[in-house]
Amino acid sequence: MEHVPALDEDLKKTLGPATAKVLAEQLGLHTALDLLHHYPRRYAERGELTSLADLADQLDEHVTVVAQVADARLLTYHGSRGGGKRLEVTITDGSGRLQLVFFGAGVHKPHKELLPGSRAMFAGKVSRFNHKLQLAHPAYEPLGADASDRDAATAFANQLIPIYPACAKLESWKIAKCVDAVLPRAQEAVDPLPPALREGRGLVPLTEALLKIHRPATKADIEDARQRLKWDEAFVLQVALARRRHADSQLPAVARRATPGGLLDALDAKLPFTLTDGQQKVSKEIFDDLATSHPMHRLLQGEVGSGKTLVALRAMLAVVDSGGQAAMLAPTEVLAQQHHRSITEMMGELAEGGMLGGSDQGTKVVLLTGSMGTAARRQALLDLVTGEAGLVIGTHALIEDKVQFHDLGLVVVDEQHRFGVEQRDALRSKGKQPPHLLVMTATPIPRTVAMTVFGDLETSVLDQLPAGRSPIATHVVPARDKPHFLSRAWERVREEVENGHQAYVVCPRIGDGEDDPKNKKKASAEDEAEKRPPLAVLEIAEQLTRGPLAGLSVEVLHGRMDPADKDDVMRRFAAGEVKVLVATTVIEVGVNVPNSTVMVIMDADRFGVSQLHQLRGRVGRGSAPGLCLLVSEMHEASPARARLAAVAATLDGFELSRIDLEQRREGDVLGQAQSGVRSSLRMLAVIDDEEVIAQAREEATRVVAADPELEHLPGLRTALDALLDAEREQYLEKG
């Protein structure tokens, strides 16, 4: 343990201030340990020619290639500013050819060294000149093969060259030299895995893994090292989550049991349908948790429209029956208002406790949002502190210091990924004792991500749709290739409205001149073929009312409207007065208008797979079949169209979330945990390493149960402290 500080030393001491500064600023590497965990992205074999054929996809990126010089020509040119020399070198790797150019005084050294037949590693930024790809003034490292001895030549040819994630100021081979300088210190790395676990799983020691990942002799070395380093990441992360679960299980909580003949029974008696088997099973899991004297921590995953809100409401009423209060936290005002409306409708007179015509056993259901008027807000706060209101539904406004509860027994968080752990905890701290916690999400999460991101929660899944729900047909509308398909889409909307139904039209942007410029930039960068900004609600609404939907009542809804106006539009849409709602993604979650049967999503390629699935879930909520039309101007062969085709091909949210995860960088998903997890995963791939994560979770639970403080595992404690430091940093940044 006393050696660890050598690995924590600033890299300035070993590598000098200039190199250390680049490593810190460009790659976030500050210590010898950081550098040892900066793993090669891939390995080039000297005998293998790295593919030049793939460079077209890497325009403007810094690349490292291993190739052979095919020819080199020194040219003299005469320009407006006088003459000069230019060296053109063509390199090849069997898959393609690439031109390198050097100018001026910089031509002499490469002219002597880059002779036809010689091999080297080249690094530079891929650019295009005269329709050809090139590297201008690349850095290079000759791979001379003058070994006379055949064995030595073979060994040289088969050597594995690590290619590191690099940056413009520091090429891969320079990073390799930096790693060489700190590699001897790998001997001092403290092994976080308990010896019994490591030996039982046949994993190599940490020191050996670090040497093999950076300087492998064979491909088997790389595999050994990867397996071991994946285990480290999975296990340390799962121990952190297991300790959080263990600490939570030690907290006291008030057991909340529904009383017979109370609000819960009264609600069940007035429901016009029976609960699905899934709803009954999940409700039982929740009621069992609520009845214990330590806080429930449960994640409820449910497909769009699987009836999560009803399951949550039944849990909330059970808590009110036992004398407590329940709070539901929603990410947007539109959603908070929607939940408040649908819960009061489901409860009827039961939501009018203490009011004229209300039920004797009823309770008050209050709404609390940031934009409420002062008088309404004051009354809501009073109802909460006196206990008059058993249920409160609100936005972030619930977390404010002024909000006090009489006896908070349950917190329900809707759409968990919109909230950080700290916001969850801020609301939970309002109970006299820690309240029970139910987290809901309609974004289906692959099992491994649930274990990684929500690893401190037990998981329940609702995968059955209630009886009477209609299937949703989804089609891609290629607006550029086949404009008549778009005309037909608007005809379908008119037909649905004429048959007494309603429609949504969704656009990526508001279009009031105040749109976030970052969004525009991102959209255009994502899609070279599409220079125009994404379609906007206000423009499309105007085009539709003057054109294909003239004569129908069309209204807009977006996040920058006044809350009272938003609520008014939603009310009139829910009542059937508004026939077509042109909106941004404010309608993505929770909006429930069973009479809506068709949704047209404009520029559908600008949305993520899970988001499209969420949006589509707003139609087909009644007895009439739903139709979702994904409008895109992207070319048929583009990745964006492939993504849309995947959404059109399945209604299985778990399958789509898997596709989504494979197509996005994993960090985006882990970033939802908002707890530093992202910075700790360098080797583990959440989607591919399901087995390792599941096994690591079991081992971690066992280790923490036996030794919660990890007193007998100092190496694991050290690794955990490093991980939690990263977590705390992110936590503070968010604060």
Side-chain angles (χ1 to χ4, degrees):
M1 290 294 288
E2 65 274 12
H3 296 300
V4 171
L7 282 173
D8 287 336
E9 253 180 24
D10 196 300
L11 286 169
K12 283 193 196 92
K13 292 192 177 172
T14 318
L15 305 174
T19 304
K21 185 170 186 247
V22 176
L23 286 169
E25 288 178 1
Q26 303 283 316
L27 298 169
L29 307 174
H30 303 275
T31 66
L33 193 61
D34 290 344
L35 190 49
L36 287 175
H37 286 306
H38 186 67
Y39 306 131
R41 190 179 48 198
R42 60 185 178 85
Y43 301 84
E45 290 176 68
R46 279 198 164 113
E48 158 222 85
L49 292 172
T50 311
S51 174
L52 294 178
D54 299 336
L55 290 186
D57 300 334
Q58 293 172 290
L59 202 59
D60 293 333
E61 287 185 30
H62 288 273
V63 298
T64 301
V65 296
V66 178
Q68 187 163 14
V69 176
D71 66 62
R73 296 183 301 157
L74 187 61
L75 307 170
T76 304
Y77 64 88
H78 303 286
S80 56
R81 298 182 182 178
K85 298 223 179 291
R86 166 190 173 97
L87 177 66
E88 289 183 359
V89 178
T90 304
I91 58 172
T92 178
D93 67 351
S95 77
R97 294 163 83 81
L98 179 68
Q99 184 163 290
L100 317 175
V101 290
F102 302 86
F103 297 99
V107 304
H108 304 301
K109 188 168 178 275
H111 188 222
K112 279 191 291 205
E113 293 180 338
L114 298 178
L115 302 171
S118 64
R119 300 168 56 68
M121 279 200 291
F122 302 92
K125 190 173 179 180
V126 182
S127 59
R128 203 185 282 280
F129 181 71
N130 279 347
H131 308 297
K132 277 188 183 165
L133 293 179
Q134 68 168 25
L135 299 182
H137 278 290
Y140 64 90
E141 181 86 341
L143 301 174
D146 302 333
S148 51
D149 178 346
R150 179 176 297 234
D151 293 343
T154 306
F156 177 86
N158 292 330
Q159 190 178 335
L160 293 160
I161 304 165
I163 306 287
Y164 288 92
C167 59
K169 293 183 180 173
L170 214 56
E171 295 88 7
S172 170
W173 58 83
K174 288 186 182 163
I175 293 173
K177 286 175 179 167
C178 296
V179 171
D180 283 337
V182 299
L183 206 48
R185 295 194 200 167
Q187 303 293 344
E188 299 161 18
V190 180
D191 199 323
L193 294 191
L197 187 161
R198 185 172 61 70
E199 286 154 21
R201 302 243 167 222
L203 299 166
V204 300
L206 177 59
T207 298
E208 190 181 324
L210 289 170
L211 292 171
K212 282 182 168 176
I213 200 76
H214 290 292
R215 300 295 172 262
T218 63
K219 288 181 178 173
D221 282 354
I222 300 170
E223 196 42 46
D224 285 351
R226 280 189 170 148
Q227 274 309 105
R228 165 60 216 245
L229 295 167
K230 278 179 183 181
W231 254 94
D232 277 18
E233 290 178 6
F235 182 68
V236 174
L237 176 58
Q238 291 300 337
V239 166
L241 294 166
R243 290 188 74 207
R244 203 184 283 171
R245 285 197 302 275
H246 183 269
D248 285 340
S249 73
Q250 304 305 302
L251 293 171
V254 178
R256 308 281 180 176
R257 292 183 184 84
T259 47
L263 273 168
L264 177 61
D265 286 352
L267 175 79
D268 284 351
K270 56 189 272 107
L271 289 177
F273 49 81
T274 53
L275 298 178
T276 64
D277 294 347
Q279 285 174 316
Q280 288 175 349
K281 175 176 146 284
V282 169
S283 290
K284 183 182 183 312
E285 290 170 349
I286 292 170
F287 291 148
D288 289 350
D289 282 358
L290 289 173
T292 60
S293 55
H294 58 82
M296 164 172 82
H297 290 97
R298 191 164 282 281
L299 170 68
L300 172 56
Q301 289 192 60
E303 269 288 17
V304 179
S306 57
K308 289 182 302 301
T309 310
L310 178 59
V311 168
L313 174 60
R314 295 182 77 242
M316 291 164 84
L317 294 182
V319 169
V320 175
D321 281 345
S322 73
Q325 292 167 292
M328 181 184 270
L329 183 62
T332 64
E333 292 208 351
V334 166
L335 189 51
Q337 288 162 346
Q338 171 77 32
H339 277 318
H340 182 255
R341 198 177 308 125
S342 61
I343 283 173
T344 49
E345 278 168 13
M346 270 193 258
M347 289 175 64
E349 73 284 357
L350 300 173
E352 297 166 358
M355 292 188 244
L356 204 60
S359 162
D360 293 345
Q361 65 198 124
T363 186
K364 253 191 186 177
V365 181
V366 300
L367 177 68
L368 188 65
T369 63
S371 64
M372 281 169 72
T374 314
R377 187 181 176 79
R378 193 178 293 131
Q379 184 60 52
L381 292 173
L382 188 65
D383 289 341
L384 288 179
V385 77
T386 58
E388 186 89 5
L391 303 186
V392 59
I393 292 125
T395 54
H396 291 75
L398 280 176
I399 299 170
E400 290 170 13
D401 293 343
K402 290 192 211 101
V403 181
Q404 301 295 323
F405 289 84
H406 177 64
D407 179 15
L408 182 60
L410 170 66
V411 173
V412 178
V413 180
D414 193 22
E415 286 311 311
Q416 156 63 27
H417 62 272
R418 312 284 184 96
F419 296 101
V421 173
E422 62 271 32
Q423 290 164 313
R424 223 162 73 179
D425 290 348
L427 186 52
R428 282 173 55 199
S429 68
K430 294 187 178 291
K432 296 191 177 79
Q433 282 193 322
H436 299 279
L437 174 72
L438 179 65
V439 164
M440 300 197 298
T441 178
T443 307
I445 304 162
R447 178 167 164 258
T448 44
V449 181
M451 283 190 288
T452 312
V453 177
F454 303 114
D456 57 334
L457 304 169
E458 298 301 324
T459 304
S460 295
V461 178
L462 267 181
D463 48 14
Q464 247 182 314
L465 290 186
R469 271 293 162 85
S470 304
I472 305 168
T474 309
H475 302 286
V476 179
V477 177
R480 179 173 286 173
D481 309 344
K482 298 178 177 169
H484 60 285
F485 276 37
L486 183 57
S487 308
R488 176 70 189 122
W490 300 127
E491 283 170 22
R492 284 291 291 117
V493 171
R494 282 199 92 93
E495 286 163 15
E496 288 298 311
V497 171
E498 279 157 15
N499 288 335
H501 298 301
Q502 290 159 275
Y504 296 99
V505 178
V506 181
C507 303
R509 204 163 58 96
I510 298 171
D512 56 2
E514 293 177 42
D515 288 337
D516 186 345
K518 278 189 299 196
N519 291 350
K520 288 185 204 176
K521 188 172 168 191
K522 181 177 168 199
S524 54
E526 250 176 21
D527 166 28
E528 282 295 313
E530 283 242 42
K531 292 299 184 196
R532 65 165 177 74
L535 294 171
V537 165
L538 300 178
E539 294 156 15
I540 291 293
E542 193 181 335
Q543 287 170 22
L544 293 177
T545 43
R546 283 194 298 183
L549 303 186
L552 302 183
S553 62
V554 177
E555 294 266 2
V556 300
L557 181 72
H558 58 75
R560 268 204 290 273
M561 286 166 63
D562 182 88
D565 294 343
K566 268 193 284 201
D567 201 35
D568 177 55
V569 170
M570 269 317 297
R571 261 179 212 292
R572 288 188 295 116
F573 187 64
E577 295 164 28
V578 172
K579 298 302 180 191
V580 181
L581 189 63
V582 184
T584 56
T585 53
V586 290
I587 59 145
E588 181 184 345
V589 283
V591 172
N592 184 25
V593 180
N595 192 40
S596 307
T597 53
V598 60
M599 174 179 285
V600 181
I601 303 179
M602 307 303 291
D603 277 346
D605 46 89
R606 313 268 179 152
F607 299 97
V609 169
S610 293
Q611 202 173 23
L612 291 170
H613 182 58
Q614 285 287 325
L615 287 165
R616 164 171 69 183
R618 302 303 110 216
V619 295
R621 298 176 79 85
S623 53
L627 173 65
C628 178
L629 301 173
L630 307 174
V631 179
S632 171
E633 293 193 357
M634 296 300 283
H635 188 271
E636 193 171 359
S638 64
R641 280 283 292 278
R643 219 170 52 228
L644 298 182
V647 175
T650 179
L651 289 171
D652 180 342
F654 285 92
E655 173 59 24
L656 288 172
S657 69
R658 204 175 176 87
I659 292 168
D660 201 17
L661 186 55
E662 282 164 359
Q663 289 183 336
R664 286 162 38 197
R665 282 184 24 259
E666 214 139 46
D668 297 347
V669 180
L670 295 179
Q672 293 174 357
Q674 302 188 0
S675 59
V677 168
R678 178 187 204 158
S679 59
S680 66
L681 296 190
R682 297 178 179 88
M683 189 61 77
L684 196 69
V686 169
I687 203 88
D688 299 329
D689 296 320
E690 180 166 342
E691 211 173 302
V692 174
I693 293 169
Q695 291 169 359
R697 183 179 167 107
E698 279 171 33
E699 295 276 12
T701 306
R702 198 174 305 135
V703 165
V704 170
D707 182 5
E709 295 305 313
L710 309 179
E711 286 166 12
H712 306 294
L713 297 166
L716 180 54
R717 268 216 76 97
T718 305
L720 199 61
D721 289 344
L723 175 73
L724 295 177
D725 275 353
E727 286 205 10
R728 270 187 220 110
E729 270 171 44
Q730 291 222 351
Y731 186 95
L732 291 170
E733 279 168 26
K734 288 196 165 51

